[in-house]
Amino acid sequence: MSSTDLPSVPPATVLPKVAAVRVAEGERLRSVELPGVTLSVRSRPPAREGLPAALHIHGLGGSSQNWSALMPHLDDVVDSEAVDLPGFGDSPPPDDGNYSISAHARAVIRYLDSSGRGSVHLFGNSLGGAVATRVAAVRPDLVRTLTLVSPALPELRVQRTAVPTGLLAVPGVARLFTRITQEWSAEQRVRGVVALCYGDPAQVSPEAFGNAVQEMERRLRLPYFWDAMARSARGLVNAYTLGGQHGLWRQAERVLAPTLLLYGGRDQLVGFRMAGRAARAFRDSRLVTLPDAGHVAMMEYPEVVAAAFRELLADATDPVVKGDTLEPGAKGASGSAAGTAADEAADGGATAENLRG
């Protein structure tokens, strides 16, 4: 990838000040410095101490706020955190400018390794679903269960409505799109995103829409906004082209954790027809389809997603300790990283060892 494809981005230390990120009532936001990246982590205090940890990963163009609707519905069963991937939300760009799926996975793994929380219930949406799949494949010791909402896994026949998003990966397109849309208001942009991502845009409340407009206005002031979008889109497309042990579908087959798959019948970005293939690929999986949902079911139908996760959790819990620490039982339990993950490879030639960070 040529360094001239996208405009240069100033170091995080000299980025301009922008409006603060919104933090909903009951949420906390903190910054975590790790080797090569600084991550913003959103959390919500659990209903009681001692609950198992959960980590949520957003999709392309999203942020940890995408999980704010779901987390309150889970606060009595898990201790939830949601991460802003590098260059998104309140996280600055990565030091090396690498936005590949493997780089995002490395950032997540570094956070999990440093947090001391042990294995987590891992959630991912869209791009975050691809990242979560890679994390679960190369570090099974870090993942108790895996919940994927419209995961961005390779499709041979991409939906027409998803083509514009994929075009962001083409060198020069992000710059061209920025120039073409420079007169668009934040409100116009948000309406377009809502129409693309929601099964029924009318479900978005005026308050939620207003918050989204404010967040869009904030992001558009960031000099690295389009760079992060374009490079992450390119990283996803590159991951789609990899075959063999590097391919996402092959890695999906190697996931050991009990897996919940949720697909929306009105999803314009991830084909609903991919649900069956995903259910076959993940060895210990259950599939939930939501006919009226779009691409972000955890935002559209958080109660339904929460109920499905509770069922997964109940079935993945050893009866001996049920109601205590909610430790997963033998079914689909993770092995150590030294076994299955040791010889795993990620795109760009990265190995499981360097994915550990």
Side-chain angles (χ1 to χ4, degrees):
M1 179 174 64
S2 170
S3 59
T4 60
D5 289 342
L6 294 163
S8 60
V9 178
T13 53
V14 296
L15 292 177
K17 294 290 185 182
V18 296
V21 170
R22 180 177 178 274
V23 182
E25 184 177 354
E27 292 182 345
R28 300 169 183 168
L29 197 65
R30 62 190 176 93
S31 184
V32 179
E33 292 189 12
L34 300 164
V37 293
T38 298
L39 299 180
S40 179
V41 180
R42 184 178 303 267
S43 61
R44 187 176 193 90
R48 65 180 187 277
E49 295 295 323
L51 293 178
L55 185 68
H56 308 260
I57 310 172
H58 63 81
L60 181 66
S63 76
S64 58
Q65 294 185 61
N66 290 21
W67 300 98
S68 290
L70 177 65
M71 289 196 293
H73 294 282
L74 300 176
D75 64 2
D76 63 327
V77 290
V78 292
D79 183 355
S80 285
E81 291 184 337
V83 65
D84 287 329
L85 292 173
F88 294 92
D90 206 33
S91 293
D95 291 351
D96 61 3
N98 188 345
Y99 290 94
S100 68
I101 297 298
S102 287
H104 285 315
R106 278 195 296 272
V108 171
I109 289 170
R110 285 173 182 170
Y111 173 67
L112 291 175
D113 278 338
S114 70
S115 68
R117 305 178 86 204
S119 60
V120 302
H121 297 287
L122 191 61
F123 291 69
N125 169 235
S126 191
L127 168 75
V131 173
T133 297
R134 182 145 293 174
V135 171
V138 302
R139 288 295 302 274
D141 58 308
L142 293 177
V143 182
R144 295 186 177 206
T145 65
L146 182 64
T147 297
L148 303 177
V149 182
S150 296
L153 299 174
E155 299 183 45
L156 291 177
R157 184 164 53 89
V158 178
Q159 295 184 98
R160 188 176 304 171
T161 46
V163 170
T165 302
L167 285 175
L168 281 176
V170 179
V173 169
R175 190 193 300 271
L176 175 63
F177 186 75
T178 302
R179 189 160 57 244
I180 292 174
T181 64
Q182 61 184 345
E183 300 301 324
W184 292 11
S185 68
E187 181 175 340
Q188 287 176 300
R189 295 175 190 271
V190 170
R191 289 194 186 281
V193 171
V194 169
L196 183 64
C197 292
Y198 277 72
D200 179 10
Q203 287 195 63
V204 181
S205 69
E207 179 183 6
F209 185 83
N211 291 335
V213 171
Q214 290 180 7
E215 173 62 11
M216 179 62 74
E217 291 173 341
R218 187 192 72 82
R219 293 187 189 187
L220 290 172
R221 296 190 184 99
L222 296 171
Y224 57 83
F225 172 73
W226 285 112
D227 183 79
M229 286 285 290
R231 292 185 191 271
S232 288
R234 188 173 304 172
L236 184 59
V237 170
N238 288 342
Y240 274 27
T241 65
L242 294 174
Q245 65 177 345
H246 308 299
L248 284 169
W249 283 116
R250 178 67 63 84
Q251 293 189 328
E253 293 170 354
R254 300 183 69 173
V255 170
L256 300 176
T259 300
L260 170 63
L261 302 163
L262 299 112
Y263 281 80
R266 297 182 179 179
D267 195 331
Q268 299 182 66
L269 293 170
V270 170
F272 184 70
R273 64 184 180 278
M274 302 306 294
R277 179 174 182 180
R280 293 189 297 272
F282 290 90
R283 66 178 72 186
D284 184 5
S285 69
R286 62 181 60 205
L287 173 63
V288 175
T289 59
L290 296 85
D292 295 326
H295 191 58
V296 287
M298 73 286 185
M299 300 172 72
E300 298 176 83
Y301 299 99
E303 300 94 341
V304 177
V305 174
F309 173 73
R310 287 171 182 275
E311 292 183 6
L312 172 74
L313 190 61
D315 286 350
T317 301
D318 190 322
V320 174
V321 294
K322 187 175 290 187
D324 183 9
T325 59
L326 297 180
E327 290 284 351
K331 181 183 179 183
S334 297
S336 70
T340 308
D343 61 351
E344 178 67 304
D347 61 5
T351 65
E353 191 60 36
N354 60 37
L355 273 174
R356 296 171 190 264

